[in-house]
Each structure stands twice: as C-alpha cells, then as structure tokens.
C-alpha cells in the first residue's frame, strides 16, 4: 500500500497486509523518557479517535534512542506484527517519527500494514510565519497553528508581531504601544474597529506550547518601516513628530521611524530588551522591509545623521539603522534575521540572515551576498506567500518552486538554511480564511522543507492528497478543495480578480496627498 504521508519520508517500503492494530490496550515502551513524543500521540488518539491508552495488551509501540541514526532530527519507524518501533538520534527524531505514525494511523483507521521508514529532513530550518499584526489571532488560534506545524514537521514559528495596522507585543516600559497601537478604527472592507494584543503571559505560554512540539519561536518586531502603529502611540518616533492613527488601509507607508534621533534607538532597544526576555530561543527577526526614504530626505535629524556618519545616500540610513539594531541584538547573543529588501555597497553585517522574499534582485547582487557568507531562508512571494490567491500561486507551482536559488555551489549551499511559508493577514481576517489559504499549500511547502529534492515529485504528492485531506478535515480546520487550489478557466480569473479588489483600499492616494503636504511644510523653498 502507499501511505499518504506528507512530507514524504526519504525512504519507505510497505507491505499489503495489516500486521498491527492500535487499540486502547496498546502498551508504550519508553514513554517516560520522551514526554513530548508520547503527549503528541496521546492527544491525537484522544481527539481523533476518542481513545485513551490503557497499556495492558500484547501490541506495543517502542521508542528508543539510536546513535546509528546520523541526523539529529532523523528517525526510523518499523511496523511489524504487533509492534511499532520508532528510533531517533534525539527526542526530536522520535517526535517526528510520531508525526509520521499519526498520519499512518489516521489513514488506516488505526490499522497498519508492515512498513520500514528511514527519514531525516532536507533542511534544518522549516518555518511558518503568522502575521498577527494586520489581524489579531487569539492565543488559542496560535496553538492550533503550532499543532499543525508539528504535524508537517516544521520547526520554526516566525511570529510577525508588529505592523502599521497593529502592535501586538505588550511592553511594560512603553504601554501605549498596545494601549493605542493595537487598535485600528476600521479595516479594509468594513467599518468595524479591530484590536487585540498578547500579554507577556500569553507570549510565554505560546513559547512553552511551541517547545513542547519541538518548535522554536522567532518574534518579529518589524522596523524601521511598517511602524505607523508605534508612531500613533509615540509620535516622537517619527520624523516631524507626526500625529497619526494606527493604519486602517493596506499599502506601504511613508511615515517610518526617524533614524536621525537618538531617542528612536533608545526606545527600540528598550522594547527589544523586553522581547528578548520573553522569547528565549536566541533568534529574532528585525524586519527591515519596504522602507521609503521620503521623510528622511527632508528631516533635519536624518540629514544630520547622514552627515555625521558619512552616509552617501538617504537609503544608507536604512542600512545604518538595521546594522545598529542588528549589532545591539547580536551583542546580546541573538541570531538576527531581516528581509532581503535591498543590496547596496553599504550593507548590514553578513552575520544577519536574509529572509528572501524579494526575488526581483539582480542575480549578481545575490551572488555577492552569498560570497560574503550571508545565510538565507527562502520565502519567495510568488511561491510561499499563503495569502496570495490560488489563481496566482496554485498548489502545483507552490510545490514545484525550487528553493536552491542560482549562485549556490557545493561549497556554499550550507548557507541556505531552509524555507518558510508566510501567512500574511491583511486580507485574512479569521481562521476560516486562514485555513482556506494555508491548506493544502502548507503540505506542498512542508515537502520542500523536509523531503530531499531527489525524492520529490508533484505527481506522487498529488496521489497522497486524499489522505492529507482526511487528516486536515479531522483537525477541523478549513481548507481549499483541489479544484480551488488548482483553479482553471473562470475560477482562476475569479480568484485573481477577487484578490485585486484590494487595490480599492490601497493607501496610495493618501500617501501622495500627505507627501505633498509634508513637502510643502518642510521641503526646501525655492527662492
Ligand atoms: C514583505 O512581504 N514585505 C516582507
Ligand atoms: Zn528623521
């Protein structure tokens, strides 16, 4: 039989006769040594089959550590008469063996044919990003995403916590960030206010929940752009101390942090000190995407900073800011990630990892950064952005995107840490839409993250989708049907048009009006 396991294990052989049926009498050997693995199995059995293990029968599931498995997260799984044996080099390996077993049990309604599996991940970094900035997702919704990540063998939860449209990280030193910045008076398509933030206790719970699933949490505090919510709370953070409200519309904003004032750095560093205390995995994302220089051109503080630091172009303030914040965090022992927005002569230190979303860059520039030793994570907009409609990124193109970008050689391919699926949320207001956007594309991306390139095939992946849908439906989360996920004809056009309606609520016109007002007030006057 073919087990429809997603992501596909590297090696799997199976028989055609049932040799093992899990009942409540099944005994687990080694359970006390691997609490995370056993808890994941017990939760699955309780939720999907209302089954509680009593452990007195002859069938056994055995967990064992095994040094012969070379990869840290690797495992073997063997199904024989009345016995399932899962071996891992570490508990993480055993945990991933359990994720595979859950899918096999779901497919076989608790009965298993004989099987031998040898498995390990293609990439050490297998990420999923949730944008809680645009829409607030409850702590419970975050737990659901974490469970789903584990099932897909994903191990880094990137939590986008701040945006123009909402600041979700509670700061004790700067309470207005959430008191003012977590609220917007309306959203794109309706006039209903939207708000919400995570308390420190909430975020600690999320970190704890993630750790129980072998997931590390990377908070993102996106600066110096995408900061209108922070400026609404503390106007001095902007050039010209602008009085603003948290953004209600979609689109890149021109009001960004003032890089000239020292007070901006003092403020942000104090916030980041609080962030580092809560998120204990030693990794942080500092954003750095989409930063117009319009205000910096006119701001006397920013112009003075350029002069003092010998910066040639206004856009060099972008690098100056990211370098300073990056170094501050690196000196605290943090690994730092940023979006890959620009390549210039003056770039942040190559120890800052690039999250690669902008694929429009010149190949030579990318190669240059690779030569410098910059590591990167692949999240191309036109393949791994889950908010994009299926008409633009269908399941097949999502699956077939090759993360091994040009410029990588055998000597430097270790710089490619892995891949990440990004669920941006400006047009994803609830779990229903989130589920629709995410499934089945997350299955495709998880296979690019876990399964080695030589073992991937879209045809084979499609044959496993029935089993995948069975599992997703059992989790009780929304999903796109196969017809929706690979739309053709009118369905494809409709999907794209529905997406393009966002242009109706783009803040571009507002930007033009404001920019001209600021130019009049602060621009150089012609004599
Ligand atoms: C991004 O999509 N602006 C990272
Ligand atoms: Zn300024």
């Amino acid at each position: 039989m073919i087990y429809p396991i997603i992501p596909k294990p590297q090696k799997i052989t199976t028989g055609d006769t049932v040799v093992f049926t899990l009942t409540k009498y099944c005994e687990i050997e080694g359970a006390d040594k691997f609490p995370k693995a056993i808890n994941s199995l017990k939760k699955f059995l309780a939720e999907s089959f209302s089954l509680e293990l009593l452990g007195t029968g002859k069938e056994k599931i055995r967990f064992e550590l095994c040094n012969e498995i070379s990869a840290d997260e690797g495992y073997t799984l063997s199904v024989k008469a009345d016995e399932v044996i899962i071996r891992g080099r570490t508990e993480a390996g055993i945990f991933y063996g359990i994720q595979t077993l859950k899918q096999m049990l779901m497919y076989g309604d608790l009965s298993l044919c004989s099987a031998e599996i040898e498995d390990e991940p293609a990439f050490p970094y297998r990420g999923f990003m949730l944008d809680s900035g645009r829409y607030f997702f409850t702590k419970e919704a975050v737990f659901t995403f974490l469970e789903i990540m584990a099932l897909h063998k994903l191990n880094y939860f990137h939590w986008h916590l701040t945006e123009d449209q909402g600041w979700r990280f509670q700061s004790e030193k700067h309470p207005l960030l959430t008191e003012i910045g977590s609220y917007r008076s309306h959203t794109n398509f309706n006039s209903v206010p939207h708000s919400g933030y995570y308390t420190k206790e909430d975020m600690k719970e999320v970190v704890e929940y993630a750790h129980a699933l072998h997931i590390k949490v990377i908070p993102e505090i996106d600066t110096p752009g995408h900061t209108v919510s922070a400026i609404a709370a503390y106007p001095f953070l902007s050039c010209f101390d602008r009085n603003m409200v948290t953004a209600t519309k979609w689109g890149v904003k021109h009001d960004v942090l003032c890089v000239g004032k020292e007070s901006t750095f003092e403020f942000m560093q104090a916030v980041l000190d609080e962030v580092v205390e809560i998120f204990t995995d030693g990794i942080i994302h500092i954003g750095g995407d989409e930063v117009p220089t319009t205000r910096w051109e006119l701001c006397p503080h920013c112009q003075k900073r350029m002069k003092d630091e010998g910066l040639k172009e206004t856009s060099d303030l972008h690098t100056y800011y990211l370098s300073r914040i990056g170094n501050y965090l690196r000196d605290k022992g943090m690994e730092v990630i940023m979006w890959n927005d620009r390549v210039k002569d003056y770039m942040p230190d190559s120890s800052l990892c690039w999250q690669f979303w902008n694929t429009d860059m010149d190949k030579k520039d990318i190669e240059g950064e690779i030569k410098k030793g910059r590591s990167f994570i692949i999240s191309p907009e036109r393949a791994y952005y889950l908010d994009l409609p299926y008409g633009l990124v269908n399941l097949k193109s999502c699956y077939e995107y090759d993360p091994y970008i040009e410029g990588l050689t055998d000597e430097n391919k270790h710089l490619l840490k892995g891949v990440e699926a990004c669920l941006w949320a400006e047009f994803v207001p609830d779990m229903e839409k989130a589920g629709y956007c995410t499934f089945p594309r997350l299955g495709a991306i998880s296979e690019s993250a876990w399964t080695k390139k030589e073992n991937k095939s879209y045809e084979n992946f499609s044959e496993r989708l029935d089993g995948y849908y069975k599992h997703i439906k059992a989790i009780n989360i929304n999903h796109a049907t196969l017809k929706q996920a690979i739309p053709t004809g009118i369905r494809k056009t409709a999907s794209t048009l529905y997406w393009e309606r966002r242009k109706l609520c783009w803040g571009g016109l507002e930007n033009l009006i404001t920019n001209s007002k600021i130019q009049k007030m602060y621009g150089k006057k012609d004599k």
Side-chain angles (χ1 to χ4, degrees):
M1 78 177 302
I2 295 177
Y3 274 112
I5 301 161
I6 290 180
K8 185 172 187 267
Q10 313 302 347
K11 273 194 203 160
I12 176 164
T13 52
T14 50
D16 284 322
T17 39
V18 169
V19 294
F20 179 97
T21 298
L22 192 142
T23 67
K24 64 182 175 183
Y25 302 111
C26 179
E27 198 179 317
I28 311 270
E29 248 183 61
D32 48 333
K33 285 190 241 130
F34 308 107
K36 295 180 186 177
I38 186 63
N39 285 345
S40 178
L41 179 64
K42 280 187 175 164
K43 189 163 188 288
F44 162 75
L45 292 174
E47 286 173 2
S48 303
F49 294 97
S50 304
L51 197 107
E52 193 183 331
L53 295 177
L54 298 176
T56 53
K58 66 174 178 162
E59 307 109 354
K60 265 193 196 130
I61 299 179
R62 195 142 53 89
F63 300 152
E64 287 174 358
L65 286 180
C66 173
N67 278 334
E68 278 157 36
I69 294 170
S70 56
D72 275 350
E73 296 174 296
Y75 70 93
T76 62
L77 190 157
S78 168
V79 184
K80 301 177 193 293
D82 300 328
E83 189 174 46
V84 174
I85 307 166
I86 297 178
R87 296 194 172 95
R89 186 179 176 81
T90 62
E91 182 174 4
I94 292 175
F95 182 82
Y96 291 127
I98 289 289
Q99 303 317 311
T100 295
L101 180 65
K102 279 159 59 176
Q103 295 194 33
M104 293 165 83
L105 290 167
M106 174 60 83
Y107 185 65
D109 284 327
L110 301 178
S111 287
L112 303 178
C113 291
S114 58
E116 293 295 333
I117 295 175
E118 280 178 39
D119 204 7
E120 64 181 38
F123 290 115
Y125 185 105
R126 306 178 300 278
F128 170 78
M129 189 208 81
L130 176 67
D131 169 12
S132 287
R134 268 51 176 265
Y135 277 96
F136 176 73
F137 287 87
T138 62
K139 181 177 68 181
E140 289 72 26
V142 175
F143 294 161
T144 302
F145 279 117
L146 291 171
E147 292 285 350
I148 285 163
M149 282 181 67
L151 185 67
H152 289 79
K153 302 189 175 81
L154 302 178
N155 60 349
Y156 283 89
F157 175 53
H158 169 184
W159 203 3
H160 188 78
L161 283 166
T162 64
E163 255 310 331
D164 293 310
Q165 292 84 0
W167 186 282
R168 312 293 176 209
F169 176 88
Q170 181 187 38
S171 160
E172 273 144 28
K173 288 182 209 146
H174 303 296
L176 299 185
L177 282 171
T178 47
E179 276 170 37
I180 293 176
S182 73
Y183 170 89
R184 57 168 157 162
S185 62
H186 60 280
T187 60
N188 286 303
F189 294 110
N190 61 43
S191 53
V192 182
H194 182 80
S195 63
Y197 66 89
Y198 305 103
T199 65
K200 294 219 162 151
E201 278 318 303
D202 290 337
M203 291 183 283
K204 281 183 194 160
E205 268 184 67
V206 165
V207 170
E208 201 177 315
Y209 201 103
H211 288 176
L213 300 170
H214 288 277
I215 294 170
K216 291 186 172 161
V217 185
I218 305 172
E220 180 181 351
I221 304 295
D222 190 359
T223 60
H226 291 276
T227 42
V228 170
S229 60
I231 294 170
Y234 295 97
F236 76 84
L237 290 171
S238 65
C239 301
F240 312 116
D241 295 9
R242 300 206 64 221
N243 280 315
M244 307 191 69
V245 293
T246 305
T248 52
K249 290 195 175 72
W250 163 76
V252 174
K253 314 294 176 209
H254 290 244
D255 288 287
V256 301
L257 299 187
C258 176
V259 176
K261 296 178 204 165
E262 265 315 285
S263 52
T264 302
F265 289 93
E266 282 155 19
F267 183 98
M268 280 318 304
Q269 287 169 0
V271 170
L272 291 168
D273 287 349
E274 290 186 76
V275 173
V276 166
E277 257 175 44
I278 303 286
F279 294 97
T280 50
D281 288 319
I283 314 182
I284 189 163
H285 200 306
I286 58 171
D289 58 319
E290 298 177 319
V291 191
T293 57
T294 331
R295 301 286 180 268
W296 296 347
E297 307 276 355
L298 304 178
C299 170
H301 300 284
C302 288
Q303 291 300 313
K304 179 168 185 311
R305 174 77 74 195
M306 279 180 70
K307 208 162 153 220
D308 292 351
E309 298 293 332
L311 304 178
K312 290 197 205 88
E313 298 172 38
T314 312
S315 58
D316 288 341
L317 285 168
H318 185 184
T319 300
Y320 173 83
Y321 177 86
L322 292 178
S323 296
R324 235 180 111 170
I325 292 293
N327 289 344
Y328 179 77
L329 289 161
R330 213 191 30 205
D331 289 350
K332 286 177 170 287
M334 303 294 286
E335 269 179 61
V336 183
I337 305 175
M338 67 186 200
W339 298 105
N340 75 317
D341 266 53
R342 72 194 275 275
V343 184
K344 288 276 169 181
D345 297 341
Y346 174 40
M347 282 287 286
D349 189 285
S350 58
S351 69
L352 268 66
C353 171
W354 250 3
Q355 184 161 8
F356 203 88
W357 75 284
N358 176 2
T359 45
D360 288 339
M361 278 184 167
D362 200 315
K363 281 200 191 89
K364 274 209 205 85
D365 288 338
I366 297 170
E367 280 170 16
E369 291 305 304
I370 291 174
K371 282 210 183 87
K372 280 190 217 159
R374 193 178 301 289
S375 61
F376 50 100
I377 295 159
I378 296 287
S379 304
E381 190 179 14
R382 279 303 181 103
Y384 292 172
Y385 273 21
L386 296 170
D387 57 321
L388 262 63
Y390 287 99
L392 287 181
V393 181
N394 71 27
L395 180 63
K396 187 165 189 284
S397 61
C398 174
Y399 186 89
E400 288 185 336
Y401 182 85
D402 183 1
Y404 292 87
I405 57 172
E406 275 181 63
L408 282 179
T409 61
D410 277 351
E411 286 88 68
N412 60 28
K413 66 173 189 254
H414 64 278
L415 294 173
L416 171 53
K417 292 172 154 209
V419 307
E420 183 173 302
C422 296
L423 183 56
W424 293 103
E426 187 57 339
F427 299 94
V428 181
D430 51 35
M431 281 304 270
E432 197 184 336
K433 183 74 191 288
Y436 176 84
C437 290
T438 303
F439 307 104
R441 281 188 294 208
L442 192 65
I445 300 171
S446 76
E447 197 144 308
S448 292
W450 179 277
T451 308
K452 295 182 183 175
K453 190 171 168 175
E454 60 271 25
N455 295 328
K456 281 185 65 198
S457 123
Y458 181 72
E459 209 183 337
N460 181 285
F461 174 74
S462 1
E463 283 165 13
R464 283 175 280 126
L465 280 172
D466 273 353
Y468 182 71
Y469 272 122
K470 183 173 177 190
H471 212 130
I472 294 300
K473 283 177 190 161
I475 293 169
N476 209 11
I477 189 153
N478 194 23
H479 59 274
T481 63
L482 210 47
K483 273 207 174 116
Q484 290 165 329
I486 310 192
T488 51
I490 193 114
R491 201 188 278 274
K492 180 170 180 211
T493 314
S495 147
T496 314
L497 278 179
Y498 188 70
W499 166 253
E500 292 303 344
R501 87 201 190 289
R502 73 201 174 117
K503 299 230 164 88
L504 299 173
C505 52
W506 178 54
L509 184 62
E510 208 171 272
N511 281 342
L512 280 178
I513 296 167
T514 315
N515 290 351
S516 130
K517 202 170 95 187
I518 300 256
Q519 174 70 33
K520 272 203 192 107
M521 286 167 76
Y522 303 104
K524 287 201 182 83
K525 308 273 182 305
D526 290 334
K527 294 252 165 82

